[in-house]
């Protein structure tokens, strides 16, 4: 029996025995050693700092594993991202990795790939209502719990007034961050320990929309604010500009996510309180390893699954860490994510 067939049979038997989820490269894969597979990477945007890290790490690892990567970025435009997928599919890719701008709109990208028997991996953000092959992400509900939990803890003992800047409504992650935040906020609100004085979504995760929401909050509820709960660093960047203009920077707690360099600088300088460090190297390397396996038609085992409205998608969730002034050195710097000199500007 050929080794690959034996592996598939063994995995099928295993799945029946212990109920794990299996996904195999759906088709069009390149058998080991025949030619260098090409992987398509369709990105929402490269404007936000974190996605540049993701791209560089993904491409480096895929190259190490003997695959080439075609990268395209859609500039947050759904029509363009669907066209990008179409172009990648026509370029003889063997696996498609998508970071969707709009989780619903990109079901079309998955369908286009599947018509050509190309398997699809959703990277960090879920694609909704389609037969997605695999989803790799961080524990996004946990991200929201850590952000809001940080505030609940730091604001203990006072009736705190919080403004909440939610993410982009087109991104399923934004709802998961909110869900995690609600898990921590609701009991404190019920106890009368804190109050959300204003909250709104920030379209496209744009810092200028974060500014608009915080300005609206100040107009509505005044400058008496204890914290701005921002779902990501790109929003805290906008919020802190407003706080600086209002003379409130450093006096109001501000959360974030992504450990962007500018946020880490603001944390050690005192205008931002915390961020969430998502070890992007782990995400990008794991994604590259999985994509190369998919491209080669190898079996992939995912122990968890997530309902995307159409199917239970085999999923992998990676862990995240809280970063503040005290843990900057032991997390972001120790991991080599940013250099000490860059964060402390010396
Ligand atoms: C989310 C992602 C966050 C953040 C945000 C804005 O989907 O999980 O890490 O980067 O997008 O780009």
């Amino acid at each position: 029996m050929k080794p690959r067939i034996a592996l598939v049979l063994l995995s099928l038997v295993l799945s029946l025995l212990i109920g794990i989820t299996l996904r195999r490269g759906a088709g069009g894969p390149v058998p080991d050693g025949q030619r260098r597979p090409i992987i398509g990477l369709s990105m929402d945007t490269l404007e936000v700092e974190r996605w540049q890290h993701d791209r560089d790490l993904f491409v480096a690892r895929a190259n190490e594993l003997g695959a080439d990567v075609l990268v395209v970025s859609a500039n947050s435009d759904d029509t363009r991202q669907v066209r990008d997928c179409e172009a990648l599919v026509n370029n003889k890719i063997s696996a498609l990795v998508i970071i969707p701008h709009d989780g619903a709109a990109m079901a079309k990208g998955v369908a286009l790939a599947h018509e050509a028997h190309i398997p699809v991996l959703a990277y960090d953000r879920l694609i909704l209502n389609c037969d997605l092959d695999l989803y790799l992400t961080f524990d996004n509900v946990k991200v929201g719990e850590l952000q809001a939990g940080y505030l609940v803890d730091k604001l203990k003992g006072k009736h705190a007034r919080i403004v909440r800047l939610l993410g982009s409504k087109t991104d399923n992650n934004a709802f998961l961050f909110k869900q995690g935040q609600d898990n921590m906020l609701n009991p404190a609100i019920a106890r009368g320990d804190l109050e959300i004085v204003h909250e709104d979504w920030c379209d496209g995760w744009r810092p200028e929309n974060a500014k608009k929401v915080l300005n609206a909050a100040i107009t509505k509820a005044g400058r008496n604010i204890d914290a701005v709960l921002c779902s990501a660093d790109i929003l805290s960047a906008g919020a802190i500009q407003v706080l600086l203009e209002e003379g409130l920077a450093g006096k109001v707690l501000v959360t974030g996510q992504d450990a962007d360099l500018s946020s880490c600088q603001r944390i050690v300088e005192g205008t931002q309180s915390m961020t969430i460090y998502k070890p992007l190297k782990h995400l990008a390397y794991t994604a590259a390893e999985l994509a190369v396996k998919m491209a080669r038609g190898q079996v992939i085992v995912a122990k968890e699954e997530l309902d995307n409205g159409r199917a239970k998608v085999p999923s992998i969730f990676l862990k995240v860490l809280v970063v503040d002034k005290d843990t900057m050195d032991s997390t972001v710097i120790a991991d080599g994510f940013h250099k000490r000199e860059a964060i402390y500007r010396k």
Side-chain angles (χ1 to χ4, degrees), residues 19-47:
I20 49 179
T21 316
L22 277 180
R23 276 294 156 120
R24 204 161 67 82
V30 180
D32 265 344
Q34 271 197 10
R35 82 171 155 85
R36 225 176 137 80
I38 304 171
I39 293 165
L41 175 60
S42 161
M43 307 187 69
D44 161 15
T45 178
L46 279 166
E47 266 178 39

Side-chain angles (χ1 to χ4, degrees), residues 44-45 48 50-51 54 99-100 124-125 137-138 140 171-174 177 204-205 231-234 257-258 260 278 280:
D44 161 15
T45 178
V48 179
R50 80 150 274 197
W51 300 116
D54 289 88
I99 305 170
D124 198 47
R125 296 175 177 166
T137 188
F138 291 100
N140 294 309
D171 178 359
N172 188 62
N173 284 358
F177 304 144
W205 290 104
S231 289
D233 285 344
I234 190 70
Q257 164 183 202
D258 287 337
D260 282 354
K278 298 156 97 170
L280 293 187

Side-chain angles (χ1 to χ4, degrees), residues 16 30 37 77 85 105 117 134 161 163 169-170 225 253 270:
L16 288 175
V30 180
D77 176 337
C85 289
H117 308 289
L134 189 61
R161 290 163 55 84
V163 176
K169 268 190 171 167
T170 58
I225 293 167
L253 298 177

